[in-house]
Amino acid sequence: MIGAFMGLIVAGVLTALGLPALSILVIALIIAVLYSAAYGYTVEKIAYKPLRGAPRLAPLISAIGMSILLQNYIMLAQTPDFLPFPRLIPDLEFMAPYENFLATSDLFIIVTSISVMVALTLFIKFTRMGKAMRATAQNRKMAMLVGVNVDQVISMTFIIGSGLAAVGGVLIASHIGQINFAIGFLAGIKAFTAAVLGGIGSIPGAVLGGLVLGWTESFAAGYVSSDYEDVFAFCLLVLILIFRPAGLLGKQRAQKV
Amino acid sequence: MAAANIATNLKKSAIAALWLAFLTLPIIVIRVDTVEKTVTWRWMHLVYMLAGSFVLAIAWHFMMDRRDRGVAAHKDEGAESQSKLARWLENPAVARPLMALGLLVAVVFPHVFSMYQTNILISALIYVVLGLGLNITVGLAGLLDLGYVAFYAVGAYAYALLNHHFQLGFWTVLPLGAILGAFFGILLGFPVLRLRGDYLAIVTLGFGQIVRLVLENWNAFSQGPSGISNIARPGLFGVSYTVDQATTYIYYIMLALVILTIFVTARLKDSRIGRAWLALREDEIACQAMGIDNTRAKLMAFALGATLASLMGVVFAAKTTFINPASFTFMESAMILAIVVLGGMGSVLGVMLGAFLLILLPEYMRAFSEYRMLIFGATMILVMVFRPQGLIRAKRKVYKINTEAA
């Protein structure tokens, strides 16, 4: 949501300044990502860091509080209504023959998401920070003992996660063409559903989960009724959690005490 | 040393204020109209933001210092310390007359104040019961339920539909609604038995959304977004009465239900199942190892919470005589959760206080009504960071063994 709004604002200012379309897209995307990342960093400092080591309910509740706070902040500072989002992605000429089944914006979205996925996988697998992240996810205390700066790692995950959310926000906003302050809420739940569906902690899993979720929604909307699109998404989530809590690609792990 | 501390705090606050101002700059200052391609710059907002966040940051650091010192002091003391307010309220010499006074005020309220005030108080009382119900699931059993409002909707729609189609009266539907609520509670409880933490929160949230979406879209069943109107008010042995009297009547019904709920939840808390819930909240595995049936305890918590919500739904439908799905959004769930969190998870008195504060304050401060949800969100974060036990700390009953007599 923050990403989409930042994109909108930057794009609006730049359009007023009269820059060419492609440079607007790139600049808006970069600024949206940077700002969202900064927001993620700040949110973590305020609502999560002071609660490290608190009972497990505490960070959850403060996270919900933060989500309500941010939504209402955007609503009050900008507008409670839907805002038309400019088409940031220009139609490229070589795409003209295929436009009927693949518009330039679709291509751009596919290419961007695939490159982000690859980059993220490489980052998690091969960099020092990625390794530290995996260690922290497995066992925070052990990671601390072997010298991982856990606070820094968690900050970093928030920065990266928020930045990626901004990419998604700008892309989906320019695809759909309108935004409002509440778009992030459903997107957040669906992102969680996709991650759980694929198996928490696995990037290919999250990709697969996202695809399965998207297909389920589209087919359900097409064959049953588009009114119940979101109902199917939630039902899928509930079913997955009941029958395969580890997700499609996750490993069932025995619980240790 | 104290002066140096204050100086560093001021410096930190200034940095935080600058950072926040930088963060919020584009969103609060610039406003774009994409249709007419105009940009409005509102620089005054930035000044407010700078000043506001500076003050907030100072308060934040001050509270943080206090919290850290409090933690250190707590470790030395060992014993649980109680706030003065709680200790004062514990004292039976104060508590009994206070309770009697509260009851007296509550009983004469509709005869002294206007119907408008009574109506506000009825909604506050509804939220007291909703808060106490959610307190069972979240506060006692530690199961974060973000779809709580779904059960509220179940009760409201149960009454509305049964009344609409079969002309069933309020008193017939009240127990039916309770049973239906319990049924839905168990229906939700079964699939989520194995889940905990974030997973549980998200699934319950999804459940709440499913219920709302179905109500919104299944026109043949629930009349969709336009809702159901002309729901009958509660009957009084066939006596007819005016709208004014109806408000008073519903007020007394609500008062009775509140007292019943308080009694039930307060007794439940120290009962066998109540202690099982607390154990479940603290540590699920240890709880199971102590021979507590986790499944049963969890389902009980869900079912009881849902029953209370459903009862309130019936009362709500009878009070407003009109319901539509817009009354049962996620924000409603979040508000009930805010009540429980602010009041003090697990504390009956705290939840009541939280409900009155969060429902009555916005009602009497209409000027800030735009900022209501903003403040709720901030409250939830601040309470969790600085006062996780809420306004009034839940007290565990302590059993003393009299060694001399033994």
Side-chain angles (χ1 to χ4, degrees), chain A residues 129-164:
Chain A
M129 186 44 101
K131 206 183 217 172
M133 274 176 194
R134 282 180 285 147
T136 311
Q138 263 183 14
N139 192 330
R140 196 177 290 167
K141 221 175 248 171
M142 277 311 286
M144 242 188 257
L145 282 176
V146 294
V148 174
N149 187 342
V150 170
D151 282 343
Q152 205 183 349
V153 168
I154 294 177
S155 262
M156 198 63 197
T157 55
F158 269 81
I159 290 171
I160 293 175
S162 318
L164 290 183

PDB file of all heavy atoms in Angstrom, chain A residues 129-164:
ATOM      1  N   MET A 129      24.678 -12.635   4.532  1.00  0.00           N
ATOM      2  CA  MET A 129      23.452 -12.179   5.184  1.00  0.00           C
ATOM      3  C   MET A 129      22.342 -13.213   5.019  1.00  0.00           C
ATOM      4  O   MET A 129      21.591 -13.493   5.952  1.00  0.00           O
ATOM      5  CB  MET A 129      23.056 -10.831   4.565  1.00  0.00           C
ATOM      6  CG  MET A 129      21.883 -10.128   5.224  1.00  0.00           C
ATOM      7  SD  MET A 129      21.884 -10.096   7.014  1.00  0.00           S
ATOM      8  CE  MET A 129      22.446  -8.471   7.364  1.00  0.00           C
ATOM      9  N   GLY A 130      22.284 -13.806   3.829  1.00  0.00           N
ATOM     10  CA  GLY A 130      21.272 -14.826   3.586  1.00  0.00           C
ATOM     11  C   GLY A 130      21.433 -16.008   4.524  1.00  0.00           C
ATOM     12  O   GLY A 130      20.481 -16.522   5.108  1.00  0.00           O
ATOM     13  N   LYS A 131      22.674 -16.415   4.688  1.00  0.00           N
ATOM     14  CA  LYS A 131      22.958 -17.532   5.584  1.00  0.00           C
ATOM     15  C   LYS A 131      22.548 -17.171   7.011  1.00  0.00           C
ATOM     16  O   LYS A 131      21.932 -17.975   7.726  1.00  0.00           O
ATOM     17  CB  LYS A 131      24.463 -17.815   5.525  1.00  0.00           C
ATOM     18  CG  LYS A 131      24.854 -19.229   5.866  1.00  0.00           C
ATOM     19  CD  LYS A 131      26.354 -19.323   5.830  1.00  0.00           C
ATOM     20  CE  LYS A 131      26.824 -20.652   5.282  1.00  0.00           C
ATOM     21  NZ  LYS A 131      28.276 -20.642   5.073  1.00  0.00           N
ATOM     22  N   ALA A 132      22.888 -15.931   7.410  1.00  0.00           N
ATOM     23  CA  ALA A 132      22.541 -15.479   8.757  1.00  0.00           C
ATOM     24  C   ALA A 132      21.025 -15.481   8.947  1.00  0.00           C
ATOM     25  O   ALA A 132      20.523 -15.843  10.009  1.00  0.00           O
ATOM     26  CB  ALA A 132      23.098 -14.078   8.994  1.00  0.00           C
ATOM     27  N   MET A 133      20.304 -15.108   7.877  1.00  0.00           N
ATOM     28  CA  MET A 133      18.849 -15.109   7.963  1.00  0.00           C
ATOM     29  C   MET A 133      18.310 -16.510   8.198  1.00  0.00           C
ATOM     30  O   MET A 133      17.437 -16.729   9.036  1.00  0.00           O
ATOM     31  CB  MET A 133      18.246 -14.565   6.670  1.00  0.00           C
ATOM     32  CG  MET A 133      18.123 -13.076   6.654  1.00  0.00           C
ATOM     33  SD  MET A 133      17.511 -12.546   5.071  1.00  0.00           S
ATOM     34  CE  MET A 133      17.881 -10.819   5.203  1.00  0.00           C
ATOM     35  N   ARG A 134      18.844 -17.456   7.424  1.00  0.00           N
ATOM     36  CA  ARG A 134      18.358 -18.831   7.589  1.00  0.00           C
ATOM     37  C   ARG A 134      18.666 -19.333   8.988  1.00  0.00           C
ATOM     38  O   ARG A 134      17.857 -20.005   9.628  1.00  0.00           O
ATOM     39  CB  ARG A 134      18.996 -19.735   6.534  1.00  0.00           C
ATOM     40  CG  ARG A 134      18.331 -19.581   5.162  1.00  0.00           C
ATOM     41  CD  ARG A 134      18.963 -20.478   4.144  1.00  0.00           C
ATOM     42  NE  ARG A 134      20.266 -19.970   3.730  1.00  0.00           N
ATOM     43  CZ  ARG A 134      21.286 -20.742   3.388  1.00  0.00           C
ATOM     44  NH1 ARG A 134      21.166 -22.040   3.413  1.00  0.00           N
ATOM     45  NH2 ARG A 134      22.434 -20.210   3.036  1.00  0.00           N
ATOM     46  N   ALA A 135      19.846 -18.987   9.479  1.00  0.00           N
ATOM     47  CA  ALA A 135      20.217 -19.425  10.829  1.00  0.00           C
ATOM     48  C   ALA A 135      19.268 -18.827  11.856  1.00  0.00           C
ATOM     49  O   ALA A 135      18.782 -19.524  12.753  1.00  0.00           O
ATOM     50  CB  ALA A 135      21.652 -19.000  11.123  1.00  0.00           C
ATOM     51  N   THR A 136      18.960 -17.530  11.704  1.00  0.00           N
ATOM     52  CA  THR A 136      18.075 -16.872  12.668  1.00  0.00           C
ATOM     53  C   THR A 136      16.691 -17.481  12.632  1.00  0.00           C
ATOM     54  O   THR A 136      16.047 -17.653  13.667  1.00  0.00           O
ATOM     55  CB  THR A 136      17.983 -15.367  12.360  1.00  0.00           C
ATOM     56  OG1 THR A 136      19.308 -14.872  12.192  1.00  0.00           O
ATOM     57  CG2 THR A 136      17.306 -14.627  13.474  1.00  0.00           C
ATOM     58  N   ALA A 137      16.240 -17.820  11.427  1.00  0.00           N
ATOM     59  CA  ALA A 137      14.916 -18.411  11.311  1.00  0.00           C
ATOM     60  C   ALA A 137      14.860 -19.755  12.015  1.00  0.00           C
ATOM     61  O   ALA A 137      13.865 -20.112  12.627  1.00  0.00           O
ATOM     62  CB  ALA A 137      14.537 -18.566   9.838  1.00  0.00           C
ATOM     63  N   GLN A 138      15.965 -20.511  11.899  1.00  0.00           N
ATOM     64  CA  GLN A 138      15.956 -21.850  12.503  1.00  0.00           C
ATOM     65  C   GLN A 138      15.978 -21.775  14.015  1.00  0.00           C
ATOM     66  O   GLN A 138      15.197 -22.416  14.697  1.00  0.00           O
ATOM     67  CB  GLN A 138      17.166 -22.632  12.018  1.00  0.00           C
ATOM     68  CG  GLN A 138      16.831 -23.529  10.864  1.00  0.00           C
ATOM     69  CD  GLN A 138      18.027 -24.351  10.462  1.00  0.00           C
ATOM     70  OE1 GLN A 138      19.003 -24.433  11.204  1.00  0.00           O
ATOM     71  NE2 GLN A 138      17.951 -24.955   9.303  1.00  0.00           N
ATOM     72  N   ASN A 139      16.893 -21.001  14.527  1.00  0.00           N
ATOM     73  CA  ASN A 139      17.008 -20.925  15.974  1.00  0.00           C
ATOM     74  C   ASN A 139      17.725 -19.638  16.360  1.00  0.00           C
ATOM     75  O   ASN A 139      18.923 -19.499  16.178  1.00  0.00           O
ATOM     76  CB  ASN A 139      17.802 -22.123  16.495  1.00  0.00           C
ATOM     77  CG  ASN A 139      17.702 -22.240  17.992  1.00  0.00           C
ATOM     78  OD1 ASN A 139      17.557 -21.236  18.689  1.00  0.00           O
ATOM     79  ND2 ASN A 139      17.774 -23.445  18.489  1.00  0.00           N
ATOM     80  N   ARG A 140      16.946 -18.723  16.912  1.00  0.00           N
ATOM     81  CA  ARG A 140      17.488 -17.397  17.169  1.00  0.00           C
ATOM     82  C   ARG A 140      18.630 -17.446  18.170  1.00  0.00           C
ATOM     83  O   ARG A 140      19.659 -16.821  18.002  1.00  0.00           O
ATOM     84  CB  ARG A 140      16.354 -16.511  17.673  1.00  0.00           C
ATOM     85  CG  ARG A 140      16.684 -15.052  17.603  1.00  0.00           C
ATOM     86  CD  ARG A 140      15.520 -14.226  18.037  1.00  0.00           C
ATOM     87  NE  ARG A 140      14.431 -14.282  17.080  1.00  0.00           N
ATOM     88  CZ  ARG A 140      13.201 -13.848  17.352  1.00  0.00           C
ATOM     89  NH1 ARG A 140      12.924 -13.382  18.539  1.00  0.00           N
ATOM     90  NH2 ARG A 140      12.246 -13.909  16.455  1.00  0.00           N
ATOM     91  N   LYS A 141      18.435 -18.224  19.212  1.00  0.00           N
ATOM     92  CA  LYS A 141      19.431 -18.248  20.279  1.00  0.00           C
ATOM     93  C   LYS A 141      20.750 -18.836  19.782  1.00  0.00           C
ATOM     94  O   LYS A 141      21.824 -18.306  20.051  1.00  0.00           O
ATOM     95  CB  LYS A 141      18.880 -19.083  21.439  1.00  0.00           C
ATOM     96  CG  LYS A 141      19.197 -18.472  22.784  1.00  0.00           C
ATOM     97  CD  LYS A 141      18.531 -19.240  23.895  1.00  0.00           C
ATOM     98  CE  LYS A 141      17.443 -18.425  24.560  1.00  0.00           C
ATOM     99  NZ  LYS A 141      16.648 -19.209  25.506  1.00  0.00           N
ATOM    100  N   MET A 142      20.634 -19.931  19.035  1.00  0.00           N
ATOM    101  CA  MET A 142      21.842 -20.554  18.501  1.00  0.00           C
ATOM    102  C   MET A 142      22.556 -19.595  17.557  1.00  0.00           C
ATOM    103  O   MET A 142      23.791 -19.492  17.574  1.00  0.00           O
ATOM    104  CB  MET A 142      21.495 -21.838  17.742  1.00  0.00           C
ATOM    105  CG  MET A 142      21.332 -23.056  18.601  1.00  0.00           C
ATOM    106  SD  MET A 142      22.680 -23.255  19.744  1.00  0.00           S
ATOM    107  CE  MET A 142      23.962 -23.808  18.624  1.00  0.00           C
ATOM    108  N   ALA A 143      21.782 -18.903  16.715  1.00  0.00           N
ATOM    109  CA  ALA A 143      22.387 -17.960  15.774  1.00  0.00           C
ATOM    110  C   ALA A 143      23.175 -16.908  16.531  1.00  0.00           C
ATOM    111  O   ALA A 143      24.296 -16.550  16.170  1.00  0.00           O
ATOM    112  CB  ALA A 143      21.307 -17.313  14.917  1.00  0.00           C
ATOM    113  N   MET A 144      22.574 -16.438  17.641  1.00  0.00           N
ATOM    114  CA  MET A 144      23.261 -15.429  18.444  1.00  0.00           C
ATOM    115  C   MET A 144      24.568 -15.990  18.985  1.00  0.00           C
ATOM    116  O   MET A 144      25.591 -15.328  18.985  1.00  0.00           O
ATOM    117  CB  MET A 144      22.345 -15.036  19.597  1.00  0.00           C
ATOM    118  CG  MET A 144      21.941 -13.593  19.603  1.00  0.00           C
ATOM    119  SD  MET A 144      21.078 -13.234  21.101  1.00  0.00           S
ATOM    120  CE  MET A 144      19.410 -13.205  20.586  1.00  0.00           C
ATOM    121  N   LEU A 145      24.511 -17.240  19.420  1.00  0.00           N
ATOM    122  CA  LEU A 145      25.700 -17.854  20.023  1.00  0.00           C
ATOM    123  C   LEU A 145      26.843 -17.993  19.029  1.00  0.00           C
ATOM    124  O   LEU A 145      28.004 -17.906  19.402  1.00  0.00           O
ATOM    125  CB  LEU A 145      25.351 -19.236  20.586  1.00  0.00           C
ATOM    126  CG  LEU A 145      24.637 -19.216  21.920  1.00  0.00           C
ATOM    127  CD1 LEU A 145      24.251 -20.608  22.326  1.00  0.00           C
ATOM    128  CD2 LEU A 145      25.519 -18.577  22.974  1.00  0.00           C
ATOM    129  N   VAL A 146      26.524 -18.244  17.764  1.00  0.00           N
ATOM    130  CA  VAL A 146      27.608 -18.390  16.794  1.00  0.00           C
ATOM    131  C   VAL A 146      27.956 -17.043  16.150  1.00  0.00           C
ATOM    132  O   VAL A 146      28.650 -16.998  15.146  1.00  0.00           O
ATOM    133  CB  VAL A 146      27.280 -19.421  15.700  1.00  0.00           C
ATOM    134  CG1 VAL A 146      27.166 -20.802  16.297  1.00  0.00           C
ATOM    135  CG2 VAL A 146      26.015 -19.052  14.960  1.00  0.00           C
ATOM    136  N   GLY A 147      27.484 -15.959  16.743  1.00  0.00           N
ATOM    137  CA  GLY A 147      27.989 -14.658  16.329  1.00  0.00           C
ATOM    138  C   GLY A 147      27.177 -13.941  15.276  1.00  0.00           C
ATOM    139  O   GLY A 147      27.674 -13.022  14.647  1.00  0.00           O
ATOM    140  N   VAL A 148      25.935 -14.359  15.078  1.00  0.00           N
ATOM    141  CA  VAL A 148      25.098 -13.617  14.132  1.00  0.00           C
ATOM    142  C   VAL A 148      24.482 -12.435  14.870  1.00  0.00           C
ATOM    143  O   VAL A 148      23.996 -12.595  15.992  1.00  0.00           O
ATOM    144  CB  VAL A 148      23.982 -14.527  13.575  1.00  0.00           C
ATOM    145  CG1 VAL A 148      23.022 -13.719  12.718  1.00  0.00           C
ATOM    146  CG2 VAL A 148      24.578 -15.660  12.791  1.00  0.00           C
ATOM    147  N   ASN A 149      24.533 -11.275  14.248  1.00  0.00           N
ATOM    148  CA  ASN A 149      23.887 -10.109  14.848  1.00  0.00           C
ATOM    149  C   ASN A 149      22.394 -10.179  14.526  1.00  0.00           C
ATOM    150  O   ASN A 149      21.943  -9.718  13.490  1.00  0.00           O
ATOM    151  CB  ASN A 149      24.509  -8.830  14.295  1.00  0.00           C
ATOM    152  CG  ASN A 149      23.985  -7.609  15.006  1.00  0.00           C
ATOM    153  OD1 ASN A 149      22.949  -7.666  15.669  1.00  0.00           O
ATOM    154  ND2 ASN A 149      24.694  -6.509  14.883  1.00  0.00           N
ATOM    155  N   VAL A 150      21.646 -10.784  15.457  1.00  0.00           N
ATOM    156  CA  VAL A 150      20.254 -11.112  15.175  1.00  0.00           C
ATOM    157  C   VAL A 150      19.409  -9.869  14.915  1.00  0.00           C
ATOM    158  O   VAL A 150      18.599  -9.833  13.991  1.00  0.00           O
ATOM    159  CB  VAL A 150      19.670 -11.947  16.336  1.00  0.00           C
ATOM    160  CG1 VAL A 150      18.182 -12.080  16.193  1.00  0.00           C
ATOM    161  CG2 VAL A 150      20.321 -13.317  16.357  1.00  0.00           C
ATOM    162  N   ASP A 151      19.653  -8.815  15.702  1.00  0.00           N
ATOM    163  CA  ASP A 151      18.882  -7.577  15.506  1.00  0.00           C
ATOM    164  C   ASP A 151      19.053  -7.043  14.096  1.00  0.00           C
ATOM    165  O   ASP A 151      18.085  -6.655  13.443  1.00  0.00           O
ATOM    166  CB  ASP A 151      19.338  -6.509  16.496  1.00  0.00           C
ATOM    167  CG  ASP A 151      18.756  -6.763  17.867  1.00  0.00           C
ATOM    168  OD1 ASP A 151      17.782  -7.546  17.930  1.00  0.00           O
ATOM    169  OD2 ASP A 151      19.260  -6.209  18.845  1.00  0.00           O
ATOM    170  N   GLN A 152      20.307  -7.058  13.657  1.00  0.00           N
ATOM    171  CA  GLN A 152      20.597  -6.541  12.323  1.00  0.00           C
ATOM    172  C   GLN A 152      19.926  -7.412  11.259  1.00  0.00           C
ATOM    173  O   GLN A 152      19.358  -6.896  10.299  1.00  0.00           O
ATOM    174  CB  GLN A 152      22.107  -6.563  12.135  1.00  0.00           C
ATOM    175  CG  GLN A 152      22.603  -5.571  11.137  1.00  0.00           C
ATOM    176  CD  GLN A 152      24.109  -5.716  10.949  1.00  0.00           C
ATOM    177  OE1 GLN A 152      24.774  -6.413  11.710  1.00  0.00           O
ATOM    178  NE2 GLN A 152      24.626  -5.069   9.943  1.00  0.00           N
ATOM    179  N   VAL A 153      19.976  -8.717  11.452  1.00  0.00           N
ATOM    180  CA  VAL A 153      19.376  -9.629  10.477  1.00  0.00           C
ATOM    181  C   VAL A 153      17.877  -9.390  10.382  1.00  0.00           C
ATOM    182  O   VAL A 153      17.310  -9.304   9.287  1.00  0.00           O
ATOM    183  CB  VAL A 153      19.664 -11.096  10.869  1.00  0.00           C
ATOM    184  CG1 VAL A 153      18.805 -12.037  10.047  1.00  0.00           C
ATOM    185  CG2 VAL A 153      21.122 -11.412  10.658  1.00  0.00           C
ATOM    186  N   ILE A 154      17.225  -9.251  11.538  1.00  0.00           N
ATOM    187  CA  ILE A 154      15.777  -9.064  11.520  1.00  0.00           C
ATOM    188  C   ILE A 154      15.434  -7.736  10.860  1.00  0.00           C
ATOM    189  O   ILE A 154      14.517  -7.642  10.045  1.00  0.00           O
ATOM    190  CB  ILE A 154      15.208  -9.173  12.942  1.00  0.00           C
ATOM    191  CG1 ILE A 154      15.397 -10.602  13.435  1.00  0.00           C
ATOM    192  CG2 ILE A 154      13.734  -8.807  12.968  1.00  0.00           C
ATOM    193  CD1 ILE A 154      14.960 -10.842  14.831  1.00  0.00           C
ATOM    194  N   SER A 155      16.199  -6.688  11.182  1.00  0.00           N
ATOM    195  CA  SER A 155      16.018  -5.394  10.512  1.00  0.00           C
ATOM    196  C   SER A 155      16.091  -5.573   9.010  1.00  0.00           C
ATOM    197  O   SER A 155      15.264  -5.056   8.259  1.00  0.00           O
ATOM    198  CB  SER A 155      17.124  -4.432  10.927  1.00  0.00           C
ATOM    199  OG  SER A 155      16.688  -3.588  11.925  1.00  0.00           O
ATOM    200  N   MET A 156      17.106  -6.322   8.594  1.00  0.00           N
ATOM    201  CA  MET A 156      17.360  -6.509   7.169  1.00  0.00           C
ATOM    202  C   MET A 156      16.173  -7.217   6.503  1.00  0.00           C
ATOM    203  O   MET A 156      15.760  -6.836   5.403  1.00  0.00           O
ATOM    204  CB  MET A 156      18.632  -7.348   7.006  1.00  0.00           C
ATOM    205  CG  MET A 156      19.247  -7.262   5.648  1.00  0.00           C
ATOM    206  SD  MET A 156      19.780  -5.584   5.295  1.00  0.00           S
ATOM    207  CE  MET A 156      19.956  -5.708   3.538  1.00  0.00           C
ATOM    208  N   THR A 157      15.623  -8.239   7.175  1.00  0.00           N
ATOM    209  CA  THR A 157      14.493  -8.952   6.567  1.00  0.00           C
ATOM    210  C   THR A 157      13.308  -8.004   6.391  1.00  0.00           C
ATOM    211  O   THR A 157      12.626  -8.056   5.376  1.00  0.00           O
ATOM    212  CB  THR A 157      14.026 -10.147   7.418  1.00  0.00           C
ATOM    213  OG1 THR A 157      13.747  -9.679   8.717  1.00  0.00           O
ATOM    214  CG2 THR A 157      15.049 -11.234   7.452  1.00  0.00           C
ATOM    215  N   PHE A 158      13.114  -7.132   7.382  1.00  0.00           N
ATOM    216  CA  PHE A 158      12.007  -6.189   7.247  1.00  0.00           C
ATOM    217  C   PHE A 158      12.245  -5.243   6.082  1.00  0.00           C
ATOM    218  O   PHE A 158      11.343  -4.925   5.325  1.00  0.00           O
ATOM    219  CB  PHE A 158      11.824  -5.395   8.547  1.00  0.00           C
ATOM    220  CG  PHE A 158      10.861  -6.048   9.478  1.00  0.00           C
ATOM    221  CD1 PHE A 158      11.266  -7.087  10.293  1.00  0.00           C
ATOM    222  CD2 PHE A 158       9.551  -5.641   9.523  1.00  0.00           C
ATOM    223  CE1 PHE A 158      10.373  -7.700  11.133  1.00  0.00           C
ATOM    224  CE2 PHE A 158       8.652  -6.258  10.362  1.00  0.00           C
ATOM    225  CZ  PHE A 158       9.066  -7.301  11.171  1.00  0.00           C
ATOM    226  N   ILE A 159      13.498  -4.792   5.937  1.00  0.00           N
ATOM    227  CA  ILE A 159      13.818  -3.866   4.849  1.00  0.00           C
ATOM    228  C   ILE A 159      13.558  -4.542   3.506  1.00  0.00           C
ATOM    229  O   ILE A 159      12.881  -3.996   2.632  1.00  0.00           O
ATOM    230  CB  ILE A 159      15.274  -3.397   4.968  1.00  0.00           C
ATOM    231  CG1 ILE A 159      15.412  -2.488   6.184  1.00  0.00           C
ATOM    232  CG2 ILE A 159      15.718  -2.692   3.707  1.00  0.00           C
ATOM    233  CD1 ILE A 159      16.822  -2.137   6.529  1.00  0.00           C
ATOM    234  N   ILE A 160      14.087  -5.765   3.357  1.00  0.00           N
ATOM    235  CA  ILE A 160      13.937  -6.459   2.076  1.00  0.00           C
ATOM    236  C   ILE A 160      12.464  -6.763   1.807  1.00  0.00           C
ATOM    237  O   ILE A 160      11.949  -6.507   0.715  1.00  0.00           O
ATOM    238  CB  ILE A 160      14.765  -7.756   2.070  1.00  0.00           C
ATOM    239  CG1 ILE A 160      16.242  -7.404   2.114  1.00  0.00           C
ATOM    240  CG2 ILE A 160      14.464  -8.589   0.830  1.00  0.00           C
ATOM    241  CD1 ILE A 160      17.134  -8.596   2.241  1.00  0.00           C
ATOM    242  N   GLY A 161      11.800  -7.285   2.827  1.00  0.00           N
ATOM    243  CA  GLY A 161      10.392  -7.645   2.647  1.00  0.00           C
ATOM    244  C   GLY A 161       9.554  -6.444   2.235  1.00  0.00           C
ATOM    245  O   GLY A 161       8.771  -6.516   1.287  1.00  0.00           O
ATOM    246  N   SER A 162       9.751  -5.311   2.914  1.00  0.00           N
ATOM    247  CA  SER A 162       8.945  -4.130   2.588  1.00  0.00           C
ATOM    248  C   SER A 162       9.284  -3.627   1.195  1.00  0.00           C
ATOM    249  O   SER A 162       8.407  -3.194   0.449  1.00  0.00           O
ATOM    250  CB  SER A 162       9.191  -3.021   3.602  1.00  0.00           C
ATOM    251  OG  SER A 162       9.245  -3.552   4.885  1.00  0.00           O
ATOM    252  N   GLY A 163      10.572  -3.680   0.843  1.00  0.00           N
ATOM    253  CA  GLY A 163      10.966  -3.244  -0.490  1.00  0.00           C
ATOM    254  C   GLY A 163      10.289  -4.079  -1.561  1.00  0.00           C
ATOM    255  O   GLY A 163       9.745  -3.556  -2.541  1.00  0.00           O
ATOM    256  N   LEU A 164      10.262  -5.402  -1.348  1.00  0.00           N
ATOM    257  CA  LEU A 164       9.629  -6.287  -2.327  1.00  0.00           C
ATOM    258  C   LEU A 164       8.123  -6.019  -2.395  1.00  0.00           C
ATOM    259  O   LEU A 164       7.533  -6.032  -3.478  1.00  0.00           O
ATOM    260  CB  LEU A 164       9.876  -7.750  -1.964  1.00  0.00           C
ATOM    261  CG  LEU A 164      11.313  -8.225  -2.133  1.00  0.00           C
ATOM    262  CD1 LEU A 164      11.414  -9.698  -1.816  1.00  0.00           C
ATOM    263  CD2 LEU A 164      11.808  -7.961  -3.539  1.00  0.00           C
TER     264      LEU A 164
END
